[in-house]
Amino acid sequence: MRLAQDGGVLPESSYTRGATLAGRQLTGLVDCRKLLALFDAGATVVFQGMHRYWPPLAELVAELELDLGHPCQANAYLTPPGSQGFAVHADSHDVFVFQTHGTKRWEVHSDGEVDHVRLEPGLSMYLPTGTPHAARAQDRASLHVTIGVNQLTWRTLVRRAVDAAMDRVDDGHLPAGYLDDPSALAEGLGEHLAALADALRGTDPDAIAGEQVERFLSGRQSQLRGGLKDVLQVRSLDDDTVLRRRTGSPCVLVDRGDTLRVLLGDRWLDVPARLRPALEKIRARTDLTPADLPLDEQSRLVLCRRLVREGLLEVRG
């Protein structure tokens, strides 16, 4: 978490302390008494990365990431009555704001004009990247959540393609004596740029796009709420066990010849290509039992147990 007041961020030392746990020194622990005193004096408490801890926001962010294809995050801001945490500022990413408690008066700058927006519980607002804004709580404490969308850009994808092409370009030394004869340097540079252009012309956009999809859908936050229960129950899983696809968990299938790559969000899993019909059924269903899958009994139980352990499926009940 962070604390902010009157336009500035308070030093971490003003609300944290150290401690010892099992003989190990810990720092940065929240001192509740200090924090409450600062809140009472007008400081805003910023709960960062709430999508990592609060299940409803974890599910919302996971589903939003699948819809948008961009990394997302959630922060919550608790501001005492009549106070303002941050001065007018602009974020480097898109932001969705939704008010959950109390009211907040927003100052939003656009095209040289300033709009004042009052958000009450149930109302939301979208702020595009670079929109200057500030907010102040009204007559009681205010709590709002922001969903930040950290956009991936074309430049990132193009740079990845260029970096891959650069690996096919000669990396020899610059010629000796080029300080006295810059034309020799220019001639060699032209040859290398031409080689890079040739390498780029041979780049397969479909391959780069496919790599981006696999990268994104195998590097998200793990969705393992209730995972301990699943680990304990998976051993007794049978044909009649009711299973459910985890909310926000993708199941994208990528053909790779004799194998099928299953993108699970936080990782990927390679399985025999013959399992595609069974996995297509899992993709299409919210709830199912192993008996619903078009496989022999042993194969479908092995597959379902594996997918529970991998976090795609959870055991209901």
Side-chain angles (χ1 to χ4, degrees):
M1 59 174 58
R2 290 183 296 160
L3 263 65
Q5 186 172 12
D6 298 330
V9 177
L10 301 183
E12 190 175 285
S13 58
S14 66
Y15 57 90
T16 63
R17 62 183 179 85
T20 302
L21 180 64
R24 182 179 178 182
Q25 292 294 324
L26 302 178
T27 60
L29 301 178
V30 173
D31 186 317
C32 295
R33 188 172 298 280
K34 291 180 180 179
L35 185 145
L36 291 174
L38 289 169
F39 178 77
D40 188 47
T44 291
V45 181
V46 184
F47 299 93
Q48 300 185 126
M50 288 292 290
H51 59 290
R52 298 185 181 278
Y53 313 108
W54 185 246
L57 286 176
E59 293 179 358
L60 173 62
V61 165
E63 291 183 340
L64 192 60
E65 286 186 335
L66 294 184
D67 285 340
L68 298 179
H70 296 276
C72 299
Q73 64 185 45
N75 294 340
Y77 298 78
L78 178 62
T79 303
S83 298
Q84 177 175 325
F86 295 94
V88 175
H89 67 283
D91 295 316
S92 60
H93 53 267
D94 285 8
V95 171
F96 292 92
V97 180
F98 55 92
Q99 191 74 19
T100 63
H101 179 81
T103 59
K104 217 160 200 178
R105 188 170 183 265
W106 288 75
E107 175 185 328
V108 182
H109 297 247
S110 178
D111 298 327
E113 297 183 357
V114 179
D115 291 323
H116 296 283
V117 181
R118 181 184 175 92
L119 288 188
E120 300 175 344
L123 297 180
S124 59
M125 177 170 60
Y126 168 63
L127 297 173
T129 299
T131 302
H133 61 277
R136 179 177 293 276
Q138 298 303 288
D139 55 355
R140 59 176 179 154
S142 163
L143 180 66
H144 78 267
V145 176
T146 65
I147 303 295
V149 182
N150 301 302
Q151 304 96 330
L152 301 173
T153 66
W154 283 112
R155 181 177 294 178
T156 301
L157 209 58
V158 169
R159 181 177 289 115
R160 197 172 297 155
V162 171
D163 288 344
M166 286 288 289
D167 291 338
R168 304 197 293 273
V169 176
D170 174 58
D171 194 27
H173 296 167
L174 299 181
Y178 76 85
L179 296 178
D180 295 325
D181 186 11
S183 63
L185 187 64
E187 181 180 354
L189 178 59
E191 293 173 355
H192 282 76
L193 289 175
L196 175 60
D198 290 339
L200 282 173
R201 277 191 286 270
T203 298
D204 183 0
D206 289 336
I208 299 292
E211 290 171 4
Q212 168 60 26
V213 171
E214 291 196 23
R215 182 190 299 262
F216 189 86
L217 291 179
S218 60
R220 313 316 312 139
Q221 177 184 335
S222 298
Q223 303 293 324
L224 296 175
R225 182 184 183 188
L228 179 59
K229 178 195 69 176
D230 290 335
V231 167
L232 294 172
Q233 292 184 342
V234 71
R235 300 174 187 176
S236 58
L237 184 148
D238 58 32
D239 252 357
D240 298 321
T241 302
V242 180
L243 305 172
R244 170 175 291 172
R245 277 272 308 279
R246 285 187 180 274
T247 302
S249 293
C251 181
V252 175
L253 309 179
V254 181
D255 290 309
R256 288 175 167 259
D258 294 336
T259 63
L260 185 67
R261 176 156 293 183
V262 188
L263 306 180
L264 299 172
D266 64 337
R267 64 182 65 198
W268 49 261
L269 175 67
D270 284 341
V271 300
R274 63 181 178 81
L275 295 181
R276 175 178 270 279
L279 287 163
E280 289 283 7
K281 185 167 286 270
I282 291 172
R283 277 169 48 87
R285 299 278 294 274
T286 301
D287 294 343
L288 72 152
T289 65
D292 295 327
L293 303 182
L295 295 169
D296 63 81
E297 182 177 0
Q298 181 179 0
S299 297
R300 63 192 180 227
L301 289 177
V302 169
L303 176 62
C304 287
R305 289 185 182 120
R306 180 67 184 276
L307 294 179
V308 170
R309 289 189 171 102
E310 294 290 348
L312 176 65
L313 299 177
E314 60 182 338
V315 180
R316 287 193 56 190

